[in-house]
Amino acid sequence: MTAAIDWEALRAAATAAMQKAYAPYSAFPVGAAALVDDGRIVSGCNIENASYGVTLCAECSLVSDLFMSGGGKLVAFTCVDGHGNTLMPCGRCRQLLFEHSSSGMLLQTVSGIKTIDEVLPDAFGPRTLEEYR
């Protein structure tokens, strides 16, 4: 499945999103992009706030873009910093991505391509709840 993913296109979309980041406090812009199961690419950037706890990670605005553009499930994901380096989503964002991922979603990480299950083992989410219905 990795061969079918255009990682360069995803990184370009993440870089374009990162350039729109609002990061006046940390000066650490972040951009994220993901491939959706229907072939679309969605993206997002971090949006900081003087009240740091309400800052939005790039993954949050990516999921908003996912729903604003028609929904679906995420198939592949990448995230970059202001220098174009690959970033690993924080734990909160891994959970957010898991919630909206297809089974086996791929992530470009600092240690190579991994599945969502590898970066968030034993996760609880919609697939877990489906087992109880």
Side-chain angles (χ1 to χ4, degrees):
M1 184 174 181
T2 304
I5 307 299
D6 186 347
W7 291 105
E8 287 184 32
L10 283 180
R11 288 186 69 77
T15 300
M18 175 274 302
Q19 293 169 349
K20 296 177 181 175
Y22 177 72
Y25 306 105
S26 71
F28 192 80
V30 177
L35 178 65
V36 182
D37 56 3
D38 65 5
R40 282 177 295 131
I41 292 178
V42 293
S43 62
C45 62
N46 60 322
I47 304 166
E48 294 182 348
N49 191 287
S51 175
Y52 297 125
V54 296
T55 290
L56 298 176
C57 294
E59 294 85 349
C60 294
S61 62
L62 178 144
V63 169
S64 181
D65 187 31
L66 172 68
F67 280 89
M68 291 295 295
S69 64
K73 294 292 182 186
L74 303 174
V75 174
F77 171 87
T78 194
C79 189
V80 299
D81 67 15
H83 300 288
N85 299 313
T86 300
L87 291 176
M88 189 66 173
C90 69
R92 174 180 171 254
C93 288
R94 292 179 204 191
Q95 178 66 37
L96 179 67
L97 291 169
F98 180 79
E99 180 83 11
H100 303 289
S101 69
S102 62
S103 181
M105 179 182 88
L106 300 174
L107 292 86
Q108 190 173 46
T109 76
V110 295
S111 56
I113 305 297
K114 298 192 179 210
T115 67
I116 188 68
D117 295 318
E118 289 175 299
V119 302
L120 191 65
D122 302 322
F124 179 86
R127 291 186 285 281
T128 308
L129 293 172
E130 288 173 7
E131 296 173 12
Y132 293 96
R133 291 187 183 154

